[in-house]
């Protein structure tokens, strides 16, 4: 199926690797050429590997964000517990 964003810019060769995070498609890592070409198996495998690297980076950043949020929640709760403890003494 032709993609307007590709065909309108004179792209003659396109290959893409899906980016799937937590089982959900979030985008595509793609390569294009203005000249017709056949992508080699090595080029396509490299594209897939790069897509996996991008996906891993997105997942790591999301995990880091979740951990930072959890650390902030724990710090807040710890401060609340310390304040409650101080009031009891």
């Amino acid at each position: 199926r032709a993609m307007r964003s590709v065909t309108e810019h004179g792209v003659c060769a396109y290959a893409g690797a899906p980016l799937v995070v937590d089982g959900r498609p979030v985008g595509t890592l793609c390569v294009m050429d203005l000249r017709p070409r056949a992508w080699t198996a090595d080029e396509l495998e490299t594209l897939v590997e790069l897509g996996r690297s991008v996906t891993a980076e997105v997942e790591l950043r999301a995990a880091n964000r979740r951990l930072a949020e959890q650390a902030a929640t724990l710090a807040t709760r710890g401060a609340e517990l310390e304040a409650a403890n101080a009031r009891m003494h």
Side-chain angles (χ1 to χ4, degrees), residues 26-42:
V26 296
T28 304
L29 179 66
C30 61
V31 290
M32 299 176 227
D33 199 333
L34 298 177
R35 295 171 292 151
R37 64 173 294 150
W39 304 101
T40 67
D42 285 343

Side-chain angles (χ1 to χ4, degrees), residues 2-87:
M3 296 171 46
R4 274 186 42 203
S5 60
V6 172
T7 57
E8 286 180 358
H9 298 287
V11 173
C12 293
Y14 173 95
L19 304 177
V20 180
V21 177
D22 296 328
R24 295 181 310 235
V26 296
T28 304
L29 179 66
C30 61
V31 290
M32 299 176 227
D33 199 333
L34 298 177
R35 295 171 292 151
R37 64 173 294 150
W39 304 101
T40 67
D42 285 343
E43 289 169 331
L44 294 174
E45 182 57 33
T46 298
L47 182 62
V48 169
E49 287 298 320
L50 287 171
R52 288 184 190 133
S53 294
V54 169
T55 298
E57 181 67 24
V58 170
E59 289 172 338
L60 285 171
R61 287 178 185 232
N64 188 45
R65 186 174 50 253
R66 285 190 302 270
L67 288 172
E69 290 169 357
Q70 290 173 352
T73 298
L74 288 173
T76 299
R77 289 184 180 165
E80 291 168 352
L81 287 172
E82 286 180 19
N85 188 36
R87 285 190 301 272

